[in-house]
Amino acid sequence: MTRTAAVRPTAMPSPVRALDRFRRARPVAWRTAGYAISAGFAGGVGAFAGQEVQASWGRWAAGGYVLATLVTLLWRHPAARSTATLTALLGAVVAPLVWMVTGGRGKSTVGMGPLTVVKRAGRLLVESGSPYLPVAELTGPESLNPYGPPLAVFGLPHALGLDGWAGNPRTWFVLSAALLGYAALRLVRAVRPMWTLAAAFASPVLALPVVLGSTDLPVLGLLVLGVALLTGVSHAGASHARAPHAGASHARAPQAGGSHARAPHPGASHADRAAGMDASHLGGMSGSRAGDVDGLRAGPVGVVLAGAALGVACAMKATALPALLVLLPMLLARGGRRPVRWFAVSGVLAALGAAAVTAPAMLAGVRDLVHNMIMFPLRLTSQQTTAASPMPGQVVATDGSGGKLLMIGLLAAALVGVCAHLWRRPPRDLPAAVLRMTVIWSLIFTLAPSTRFGYFVYPLLMLGLRNVLRDGDRDADRNADRDAERDADRNAERDSNSGRGSPREHGEPRPGQATSIASTSA
């Protein structure tokens, strides 16, 4: 039996608790505030953005968010929420994209450089087996490719001769993110998953990356799916474990395989009894279900698939790596070493397999990959990245020769401290893990030598996923309690019926026997 360490519950920060209470207590006010803030953000982008494609998005999106705010605030109708979502989606995504291929075709495309890089990567993959130019052929920052080999797949349609929307990597970015996100929402049993997905893409967090053609979209889809797979809640086959009702005499807690757990034998060792107490404590905290792995909701298949999804995400972009810093300690604390091995091995194999398939020439040497994907983002190459932002890491790294080394050192020290804290006090559940991911991503993007504001889509999207996970946990717990009460009532009724026995066992007359006796006496 694998011993698992008890996880100490940690309370959410008070501002997070306050926002969570406000979101649940006043959903209409919450959505109204969200659309109003989105309208203000889009208006600021439209007025002050230095790139034409961003400014165009801001002007279209601001109008959509203003209308969505008015619909949410003034229209008290069951269809108001869906109408506001569609209005925001049309204004923030559909209208800017239609404008780009109609009236805005002659406008500057500065800001959509990732699409050009991915198209070139797909062409190079077809021609040479590597998505990277040799180091000797690099001429400037635009000739480098800071993305992992698997992202070159999205440039293959264009490399194979497809034009228009079919050959544009943006189309495949959005489709992959939408499909992965929908699958994740189904796994966590989100309320109205299609509308939740539409609301996510209608928000500025995803709407602006969609219009710009951000390479982060498929990475985010894989991250969200990987986290959702660890919940182990699926419509297809996750059988729910029911907590024993207080008055049910025959209720038993299910084990990982679905069989009924028995209380420790009186002669069992102290270690066995302690392990059983730890398992029951963890199961009670997480709302364990049948198919769990030592207190985890996810079974072996879920853990393996989650590791594979996150492995491919990390192979696409190094920005996905912070998720592993949080999930590995959580898996170790909640499930022991076995799920950690499954998760780590599947992730490594998936990452190496995806890289080998999409960059077979790299099997002979990884110099080009290291130069493009590692050294270039850290500003350690002669070609300096054009990424710019007023974040401290960016400002210090570009101010003198020693600035970049200083920020790299600070970033490394911060990550070491974060890892030590996580291994010492791992998150107790997935919502807590997702919240810590947002903190780590924010820290990294603040201290990184080269960063963009667009990278903050990672922590912002994960905050939204955390709300979905918490709502799903509440619904699952409520359903489990209702099922437990129904089972307890059914068991009590069965016990009552079995305890009454047959009439002949209790000496009761058979039907009609009392009448016969009475007539004989008369």
Side-chain angles (χ1 to χ4, degrees), residues 215-235:
T215 56
D216 294 306
L217 292 173
V219 180
L220 291 167
L222 288 169
L223 285 172
V224 171
L225 180 62
V227 172
L229 284 166
L230 291 178
T231 64
V233 181
S234 67
H235 290 287

Side-chain angles (χ1 to χ4, degrees), residues 14 46 209 263 289:
S14 55
R289 294 174 171 84

Side-chain angles (χ1 to χ4, degrees), residues 47-75:
F48 302 108
Q51 299 174 356
E52 177 59 32
V53 63
Q54 294 181 358
S56 175
W57 173 84
R59 291 189 288 268
W60 283 105
Y65 291 137
V66 168
L67 291 177
T69 303
L70 295 176
V71 169
T72 306
L73 183 63
L74 302 178
W75 193 24

Side-chain angles (χ1 to χ4, degrees), residues 92-424:
V93 177
V94 178
L97 291 177
V98 172
W99 170 253
M100 288 172 58
V101 298
T102 55
R105 298 188 65 176
K107 301 294 183 179
S108 172
T109 58
V110 175
M112 294 190 292
L115 296 177
T116 303
V117 173
V118 172
K119 287 180 181 178
R120 185 183 66 228
R123 176 177 56 80
L124 290 174
L125 178 59
V126 172
E127 295 175 354
S128 64
S130 170
Y132 306 106
L133 287 171
V135 174
E137 298 181 15
L138 297 175
T139 57
E142 67 282 351
S143 62
L144 283 95
N145 175 13
Y147 312 127
L151 271 177
V153 171
F154 296 95
L156 288 179
H158 182 266
L160 296 177
L162 295 179
D163 294 325
W165 289 95
N168 193 326
R170 180 197 290 109
T171 303
W172 306 107
F173 289 161
V174 175
L175 285 178
S176 62
L179 292 175
L180 293 169
Y182 181 73
L185 292 172
R186 294 280 293 182
L187 283 171
V188 301
R189 292 192 170 185
V191 179
R192 303 199 308 170
M194 185 61 72
W195 285 105
T196 302
L197 183 68
F201 274 94
S203 70
V205 175
L206 290 182
L208 182 55
V210 166
V211 173
L212 297 180
S214 173
T215 56
D216 294 306
L217 292 173
V219 180
L220 291 167
L222 288 169
L223 285 172
V224 171
L225 180 62
V227 172
L229 284 166
L230 291 178
T231 64
V233 181
S234 67
H235 290 287
S239 57
H240 292 266
R242 296 172 178 87
H245 188 268
S249 58
H250 294 281
R252 292 187 293 266
Q255 286 178 333
S259 60
H260 293 290
R262 298 176 177 85
H265 190 273
S269 65
H270 174 73
D272 291 339
R273 288 194 297 269
M277 291 174 62
D278 286 346
S280 64
H281 172 66
L282 290 171
M285 287 176 56
S286 64
S288 300
R289 294 174 171 84
D292 292 3
V293 179
D294 295 337
L296 289 171
R297 289 185 179 181
V301 175
V303 174
V304 170
L305 291 178
L310 292 171
V312 175
C314 293
M316 285 184 175
K317 295 191 75 170
T319 47
L321 286 171
L324 304 182
L325 300 181
V326 180
L327 293 177
L328 284 173
M330 186 197 74
L331 286 173
L332 181 62
R334 299 297 301 275
R337 296 179 181 177
R338 183 173 55 176
V340 170
R341 285 196 296 266
W342 292 339
F343 184 83
V345 171
S346 63
V348 170
L349 291 179
L352 293 178
V357 170
T358 53
M362 294 290 98
L363 297 176
V366 296
R367 181 190 175 193
D368 294 337
L369 183 146
V370 172
H371 188 89
N372 283 264
M373 194 175 176
I374 299 176
M375 298 181 64
F376 178 60
L378 293 177
R379 296 184 179 274
L380 298 178
T381 61
S382 57
Q383 302 87 5
Q384 293 295 294
T385 175
T386 58
S389 73
M391 303 307 293
Q394 175 88 20
V395 173
V396 176
T398 55
D399 186 19
S401 58
K404 65 181 71 173
L405 296 178
L406 173 63
M407 295 314 302
I408 292 174
L410 287 176
L411 182 59
L415 289 178
V416 169
V418 165
C419 291
H421 172 76
L422 289 172
W423 284 96
R424 192 161 169 257

